[in-house]
Every structure is written in structure tokens, then in C-alpha cells.
Amino acid sequence: MSSSRTIRRIFVGGSRHFTRSGLVSFATVLIMTVTLMIMGALLFLSAILSHTLDTVASKVDVNVYFVTDAPESEILAAKSRIERLDQVTEVIYTSREEAITRFRSRHAEDELTIAALDQLGDNPLGASLAITAQDPSQYETIVNFLGNDANVSPSGSRIIESINYYENKTVIDRLTSAIDAIQKAGVGIVALFAVASVIIALATVRLAIYTARDEISVMRLVGASNTYIRGPFIVAGIISGAVAGFIALALYYPAAWYAGNNLTTWLGGLNLHTYYLQNFPMIFGALVGSGMLLGCIASFLGVRKYLRV
């Protein structure tokens, strides 16, 4: 028998086995769908956590305050050097005039503060730079650069009055630790559910294979190879996984649509419907691909008992 004919018979046999099993195939698809829904939920949970951490990280910055008599040209030159650092995402310059305007606006209802400021007759605030890093763990490198760079002030005098990194260091360190912990926990949870999914699906697929044990015994008696016997069951498992993956995709669409219309504000601006559409190829591959792989592995392992391999 030619290999192409054997492969065709295996696929035809697998399709027939899937449709003929009826209730058992339905149960297999149902269990796999629940499993893939859990895996999909982890994908969306990961997206929510990543968005939340990115939002928090974007609000953490380091502010560099300059002495009041620092020449603006030197401050802007320092700004340009900082912007060229690979670790830096953004540098925002606030002039002395902008600083005093914002200060007056924040304390507009505090008459004593405004009166004291007016009595000074001069602007006591210096210019500043707000530096945002690509990753919170990189702020220390940026601060060290500012402390060691001899060109921060070409005139020879230090123009930096203070850097608030050390005041924010505890927050930054905790955020960095939280990001690392959540990423590791996410990997662990995915691995745990993957193992549990294989075990659950394997039990269900074994039930389907058990109903065909007599058929397997007859095929063994007539000399059929293990590959030929196992093939249809693997194909049936792959079909079950693919069907479960498509069902999970179909169920997640209205859920993502509802969340996108009603929970975007609560999720900090993350629209899950938009995320679903923009990342559909990845989600499709994760659910349908995982379902097919899960069905293949479960069927491969499930039929071993009857092949005595």
C-alpha cells in the first residue's frame, strides 16, 4: 500500500471515528473547550496585567532639579545628552517660568503661600527635567550617568541641585520586583494549566479510545502497524482540538466585545475587544493550535495502552 493512500485512509478513518463516536466526541470537545477557555482567560489576564504594569511604570519617573542660576543653554545641552541614552524613553523640560506658573496654579487657593511668594519678589524655583526610562530598573544607571558626567555643566560648576531618584527608589524597586514576580507567576500558571489540560483531555480521549478497543485488537491481529492503528485516533484528537479551539474563539468574541464596551475605564483604558481584534492571529494560533496539539498528545498517549508499546 502506497504511503499517500495510507495517509489518506488514516485521515478518512480519523474523520469517521470523530463523527461516529457521537456523544464521546461531544464530551471530548466540551472538555477541551473548557480547557482552552481557561488558557484564553490567562492570555487576557496577562494582557490586563501587562497593561496595568505599563501604566504604573509610565507614571514613575526621575526628576532632575537645577540651581536657579543654571544657564538654560546648559540645561538643554544636558537634556540632549540624556535623550541619547538607550535606557531613556522621554525627557520633558520645565523652565523656571513654567515651574512658577504651575506652582501658583496648584496653590491658587492658599493665600498665605501666594502672599509669601509675592514678598520674595523673585522666582525661587529652578528648571527641571522629568526623565522616563524604558524600564524602572534602569533609573539607577541614568542617575549614575548624571552624577559621573563631567559635561553636565561645561562652565565647570555643578548646575544640578538635586535628583529625586533616592526618594522614589523604594517605589521603583517595589515596582521592578512586582513586574518580575508577576511575569514568573504567569509562566508558572500557564505551565500548571497546560499540564492539567493534558491530564484532563487525556482522560476524556482514553474514554473515546476505550470504546474502540475491540477494533484496535482486531487490527492488531491482522498485522496492522502501530502507526496505522494510532493514526485515525490522533486525527480524531486533532479534529476535536480544532473544533474546541474554534468554539473558544467564538465564545470569546462576545465576551471581549462586552468587556470593551463596559469595562475599559475600569481596566485602566485597556479595550479587550480592540485587543482581541488586533491580536487575533496570536489568539487564534494559541487556542486552535493548542487544541490541536492537546488532542494529538492526548490521543497518542491514550492509545499506547492498547498497542502495548
Side-chain angles (χ1 to χ4, degrees):
M1 185 183 299
S2 65
S3 59
S4 60
R5 182 178 298 180
T6 301
I7 293 173
R8 185 170 64 252
R9 287 191 176 185
I10 287 174
F11 275 91
V12 172
S15 301
R16 287 177 180 173
H17 180 72
F18 175 78
T19 55
R20 189 176 57 190
S21 296
L23 188 60
V24 175
S25 293
F26 173 78
T28 303
V29 171
L30 180 62
I31 291 296
M32 286 190 175
T33 300
V34 173
T35 299
L36 294 176
M37 291 292 290
I38 294 173
M39 295 178 68
L42 291 175
L43 287 177
F44 284 102
L45 179 60
S46 175
I48 293 171
L49 289 175
S50 296
H51 176 78
T52 302
L53 289 173
D54 289 342
T55 301
V56 174
S58 67
K59 294 180 180 180
V60 176
D61 58 10
V62 164
N63 292 285
V64 181
Y65 299 98
F66 296 89
V67 296
T68 56
D69 58 349
E72 187 176 46
S73 60
E74 294 187 6
I75 297 174
L76 295 177
K79 175 177 179 291
S80 297
R81 285 191 294 277
I82 296 170
E83 287 175 329
R84 288 196 290 269
L85 295 175
D86 294 335
Q87 299 88 346
V88 173
T89 300
E90 184 181 30
V91 181
I92 299 176
Y93 169 65
T94 301
S95 66
R96 295 185 65 204
E97 292 72 20
E98 291 173 329
I100 194 63
T101 300
R102 293 177 185 177
F103 184 86
R104 286 181 175 275
S105 177
R106 286 196 304 270
H107 297 83
E109 298 181 359
D110 189 345
E111 296 181 0
L112 291 177
T113 300
I114 297 299
L117 190 63
D118 291 336
Q119 288 181 357
L120 288 176
D122 190 19
N123 182 1
L125 303 179
S128 65
L129 296 176
I131 304 172
T132 303
Q134 295 185 15
D135 187 271
S137 62
Q138 297 172 330
Y139 280 117
E140 188 167 4
T141 301
I142 297 171
V143 172
N144 290 336
F145 167 81
L146 293 172
N148 298 328
D149 185 12
N151 295 318
V152 168
S153 177
S155 62
S157 58
R158 296 288 297 178
I159 60 174
I160 295 178
E161 182 177 17
S162 64
I163 302 174
N164 75 338
Y165 166 73
Y166 298 102
E167 289 83 348
N168 292 342
K169 190 175 186 301
T170 301
V171 176
I172 293 172
D173 289 345
R174 287 179 179 175
L175 178 59
T176 302
S177 299
I179 292 174
D180 292 340
I182 290 175
Q183 288 176 341
K184 292 177 181 177
V187 173
I189 292 173
V190 170
L192 178 63
F193 274 105
V195 173
S197 299
V198 171
I199 295 174
I200 294 172
L202 176 59
T204 309
V205 170
R206 275 183 172 173
L207 176 62
I209 295 173
Y210 177 78
T211 62
R213 65 190 184 283
D214 293 337
E215 180 183 342
I216 295 175
S217 298
V218 171
M219 294 176 71
R220 289 283 290 169
L221 288 174
V222 300
S225 67
N226 289 341
T227 300
Y228 188 80
I229 298 173
R230 180 187 285 125
F233 293 100
I234 292 178
V235 170
I238 291 174
I239 294 174
S240 298
V243 172
F246 281 110
I247 293 175
L249 282 173
L251 292 175
Y252 266 120
Y253 181 82
W257 177 85
Y258 175 84
N261 288 333
N262 297 279
L263 302 178
T264 300
T265 302
W266 187 75
L267 294 175
L270 176 64
N271 189 314
L272 287 181
H273 184 233
T274 302
Y275 173 84
Y276 179 91
L277 295 177
Q278 290 179 344
N279 296 275
F280 183 79
M282 181 272 291
I283 297 173
F284 177 90
L287 295 183
V288 177
S290 296
M292 295 172 67
L293 180 62
L294 181 60
C296 178
I297 294 174
S299 298
F300 180 87
L301 296 176
V303 79
R304 284 171 60 93
K305 175 181 178 181
Y306 302 99
L307 294 179
R308 305 297 180 186
V309 177

